[in-house]
Amino acid sequence: MDWLGAMNKAVEYIEDNINDKLDIEKVSKIALSSPFHFQRMYHIMTGVTIAEYIRRRRLTLAAQDIISGEKIIDVAFKYGYETPEAFTKAFGKLHGISPSAAKEPGAKLKAYPRLSFQISIKGDKKMDYTIIEKESFSVMGKKTKITMVDGQNFSLVPKFWDECMKDGTYQWACSNAGKLGIMGICLDFVKDTEEFYYMIGVENNCEELPKGYVSATIPKATWAVFEAVGPLPEAAQDVTRKIFAEWFPSTGYQHDCAPELEVYPEGDYNSPDYRCEIWIPIKK
C-alpha cells in the first residue's frame, strides 16, 4: 500500500543518510506526511522517537566500526558526536560498556535492528469509525509542552489533566464547553526537538481570553472518528495505537495536516463504560 511503502521509504532514506543531520521535513515528505504527524505516527507505531531510533542505529553501527579496528575518536566524529566524551557516555548508555571495552574479545554488545513497517493482521477486534467533514473552527484553553523521550508523553498528558482539574481549568472548560465538549488537542511539534504542544480546551466562544489561556485554529478537515470505551487514559491510548498500527496500514487513507482531537464528554473517566472519541484528520 502507498502509506506503508511511504513509511518504509522514509526509513530507507534515514538509513542511507544515517551519518548526516536529519532533515525531518524531507523525511516527512517521503512519508507523505507533515513533520508533526510523521514524528507522532512513528513514535506511536514503534514506541521510540525518530531521534532515538537514529541514536540507537548510529551506536549500533559505531560498535561494528570499533570492532573492525577504527579509532574511537574517528568513530565519534563520524556519527555526529562533538567530543569523544559525549560519544563514550552515549555508547555506554546503550551498550553497557565503554567504546574501548568493546574492542576486547568476548565483549557483549547490543544491536538495534533496522526497522521496517508491515501490516499486522490480528482480526481480534473490528474498528468502527465515522467520516466527518468539519469547517475550520477556533479553540481555547491551556496548553503545555510534552516530550516523547522514553515514552514520557503517555504519563505527562494524564498528569497535565490532573493539574488542570486541580487548578480550576477543567471546571472552566466544563462551563464554557460547546457542541464538541471538552477536548485534548495535539498541536504542533516544537521545531528540532522531541516535544509537542498539548492543549486542554473547548470551542472558542470568548471575545477576550482569561489570563493564562490561549487560542488556536483547527483547520477545515475530513476526520475519521473512533470511539474508545473504558477508563482513561488507557482506553484512549489503546485506540490511538490501533489507529496508527492497524487502521492506517489497512485502509487507503493518509494522515492529513491538522491537529488530532480527543473529545471527552462529562462523566466518570474511571468507569469501564466511559465513552470518548478520537478524531484523526485524514485524506485519500
Side-chain angles (χ1 to χ4, degrees):
M1 290 186 179
D2 288 346
W3 184 89
L4 202 63
M7 290 296 286
N8 282 320
K9 285 181 180 178
V11 173
E12 183 178 345
Y13 173 83
I14 291 169
E15 290 288 338
D16 290 342
N17 298 274
I18 197 70
N19 296 343
D20 301 328
K21 185 178 179 180
L22 176 66
D23 184 345
I24 191 62
E25 292 198 10
K26 185 169 184 177
V27 177
S28 61
K29 285 181 181 178
I30 296 172
L32 306 177
S33 184
S34 68
F36 173 87
H37 292 108
F38 171 69
Q39 291 179 86
R40 179 163 166 75
M41 220 167 4
Y42 190 96
H43 179 254
I44 289 174
M45 292 183 70
T46 66
V48 297
T49 63
I50 189 68
E52 179 61 22
Y53 172 77
I54 291 172
R55 280 194 290 270
R56 293 181 184 181
R57 287 292 295 141
R58 284 175 175 171
L59 291 167
T60 294
L61 298 173
Q64 297 172 12
D65 292 343
I66 290 171
I67 292 171
S68 68
E70 292 189 36
K71 292 181 179 179
I72 292 174
I73 189 170
D74 293 337
V75 174
F77 293 144
K78 177 180 179 180
Y79 291 102
Y81 291 89
E82 294 183 358
T83 65
E85 291 77 17
F87 174 68
T88 297
K89 183 177 179 181
F91 191 93
K93 185 177 180 181
L94 180 68
H95 294 285
I97 59 175
S98 67
S100 57
K103 295 182 177 182
E104 300 296 326
K108 292 184 178 181
L109 298 162
K110 292 181 174 63
Y112 195 79
R114 174 174 175 160
L115 185 147
S116 65
F117 292 96
Q118 299 176 348
I119 295 178
S120 174
I121 305 297
K122 294 183 179 180
D124 55 348
K125 289 184 180 179
K126 63 179 180 178
M127 293 193 70
D128 294 332
Y129 63 96
T130 303
I131 301 297
I132 293 177
E133 303 277 348
K134 187 170 177 60
E135 294 295 324
S136 174
F137 64 102
S138 177
V139 293
M140 60 181 180
K142 279 192 175 180
K143 72 176 183 178
T144 187
K145 282 183 187 177
I146 300 291
T147 179
M148 298 192 304
V149 174
D150 297 328
Q152 292 181 62
N153 52 303
F154 292 116
S155 60
L156 291 176
V157 170
K159 182 180 178 182
F160 182 52
W161 276 92
D162 288 341
E163 292 171 355
C164 287
M165 287 182 175
K166 291 175 182 177
D167 69 11
T169 300
Y170 178 76
Q171 292 73 17
W172 171 87
C174 288
S175 63
N176 286 278
K179 290 182 179 180
L180 282 179
I182 301 168
M183 292 174 281
I185 306 166
C186 296
L187 298 167
D188 293 337
F189 265 91
V190 182
K191 190 173 182 181
D192 297 328
T193 72
E194 296 170 78
E195 298 175 321
F196 66 92
Y197 285 108
Y198 183 88
M199 174 188 283
I200 294 175
V202 295
E203 292 163 280
N204 194 345
N205 57 14
C206 292
E207 292 185 5
E208 186 174 343
L209 291 172
K211 185 177 180 181
Y213 290 75
V214 297
S215 64
T217 299
I218 309 299
K220 177 181 178 180
T222 301
W223 308 83
V225 180
F226 302 82
E227 186 178 59
V229 182
L232 297 178
E234 292 82 4
Q237 292 177 353
D238 182 57
V239 168
T240 301
R241 289 189 185 98
K242 287 180 179 293
I243 292 168
F244 286 96
E246 299 176 23
W247 187 80
F248 269 119
S250 61
T251 66
Y253 291 107
Q254 297 170 8
H255 203 296
D256 204 0
C257 297
E260 294 168 17
L261 310 178
E262 304 154 2
V263 178
Y264 298 111
E266 287 190 66
D268 181 2
Y269 293 161
N270 297 313
S271 169
D273 299 320
Y274 180 76
R275 296 173 182 270
C276 63
E277 293 178 340
I278 308 298
W279 288 46
I280 304 292
I282 59 169
K283 61 183 179 181
K284 274 285 187 181

